[in-house]
Amino acid sequence: MAASTPHQRTKGPKLEPHQVVLRPLVTEKGTHQFTHRNAYPFEVNLWATKDEIKAAVQELFGVRVRKVRTQQRLGKKRRYRFRVGQLSRWKKAIVTLHEEDKIEFF
């Protein structure tokens, strides 16, 4: 076995930066995070890795990324008439930037 092989993608296609970061999550909690901790939440592709998210944010917004944290969010159960369905699951990434860098959404 090779001791130092690079991490290979296990599933999914090769993603472009605009396919990795889907949209910013502008919520009250997210606003508090980027004003006080310089951390920005994004909805990202389910197949994206932390390294791909870091590279995509650096390329799309021209900032330096310090840390990336990810969460797998489960879809909520929703009722429609007499049936119960489930919304799609999605992935959330919280990207922490260097102190000097900022992203302007508005």
Side-chain angles (χ1 to χ4, degrees):
M1 277 179 82
S4 61
T5 57
H7 177 69
Q8 297 294 322
R9 174 176 286 287
T10 56
K11 60 181 171 179
K14 171 93 172 76
L15 300 171
E16 296 296 323
H18 67 276
Q19 294 172 319
V20 172
V21 177
L22 301 179
R23 67 186 180 103
L25 297 174
V26 182
T27 61
E28 189 173 344
K29 184 176 181 178
T31 305
H32 177 53
Q33 283 182 336
F34 66 73
T35 54
H36 291 85
R37 295 189 178 91
N38 209 19
Y40 295 81
F42 293 98
E43 181 179 346
V44 296
N45 194 309
L46 279 173
W47 292 333
T49 62
K50 288 185 179 187
D51 293 331
E52 289 174 340
I53 295 168
K54 179 178 180 176
V57 170
Q58 287 178 347
E59 183 176 331
L60 292 173
F61 298 103
V63 294
R64 294 173 294 166
V65 175
R66 175 167 285 169
K67 179 171 62 170
V68 176
R69 296 176 298 163
T70 59
Q71 300 174 9
Q72 294 275 347
R73 309 298 294 170
L74 294 177
K76 295 180 178 180
K77 291 189 190 250
R78 288 288 183 244
R79 222 181 112 218
Y80 179 72
R81 295 197 179 188
F82 305 108
R83 297 172 190 246
V84 176
Q86 183 136 1
L87 297 177
S88 300
R89 62 189 183 100
W90 55 286
K91 191 171 190 177
K92 176 180 179 179
I94 300 171
V95 178
T96 306
L97 304 180
H98 281 270
E99 291 82 21
E100 300 90 29
D101 295 337
K102 295 266 187 236
I103 296 175
E104 293 295 328
F105 292 128
F106 339 96

